[in-house]
Amino acid sequence: MLLRGTLRAAANIACWLLLLGSIAVLLALGVGPRTGRYRTLTVLSGSMAPHIPVGAIVVDTPEPASQVRVGQVITYQIPVLDHHVVSHRVIQVLAGGDHPLIQTQGDANPAPDPWIAQITSSTAWQVRAVVPGAGRWIVQLR
């Protein structure tokens, strides 16, 4: 009887922890980005491997575009073709100011990106955290 009661209590605690963890994930990924303090994106290519692997989630925080500097990994829309979003390292700031011109490169890529990007917003999005594998769950849940 004592063992059965202990197991039931442990299962109850495990269920509550799972529920609370699920709520925390929902708030962090679904509600938190709407505050503007950060945003999350799923990584779909290996251009930043191994630091940012395919299937990871990156957490970006805003900063003034004028503060973009060499060495940062930023998330931005490429200025060509479909204007998809990438997270690449800034390797050169060609012109500073409120809308800097930058050259970027993926860490796994052998050459710089074949374009010069301009941050057209007053805000740049810097990658602050990487959660490997977490994006795979989001893609599957969609």
Side-chain angles (χ1 to χ4, degrees), residues 76-124:
Y76 67 98
Q77 282 188 315
I78 67 168
V80 297
L81 300 174
D82 64 354
H83 300 280
H84 66 272
V85 175
V86 298
S87 295
H88 281 178
R89 189 172 306 280
V90 176
I91 59 169
Q92 188 175 11
V93 177
L94 302 166
D98 290 339
H99 302 288
L101 289 172
I102 57 172
Q103 177 75 60
T104 58
Q105 180 175 348
D107 288 355
N109 295 344
D113 295 326
W115 57 76
I116 300 300
Q118 182 171 30
I119 307 298
T120 57
S121 170
S122 61
T123 301

Side-chain angles (χ1 to χ4, degrees), residues 17 61 80 100:
L17 289 175
T61 59
V80 297

Side-chain angles (χ1 to χ4, degrees), residues 1-11:
M1 288 286 202
L2 182 60
L3 180 60
R4 180 176 280 162
T6 303
L7 288 175
R8 185 174 293 138

Side-chain angles (χ1 to χ4, degrees), residues 61-69 72 74 122-126 128:
T61 59
E63 71 173 40
S66 61
Q67 307 246 336
V68 170
R69 61 195 176 283
Q72 285 181 311
I74 63 168
S122 61
T123 301
W125 291 90
Q126 182 178 0
R128 297 289 185 165

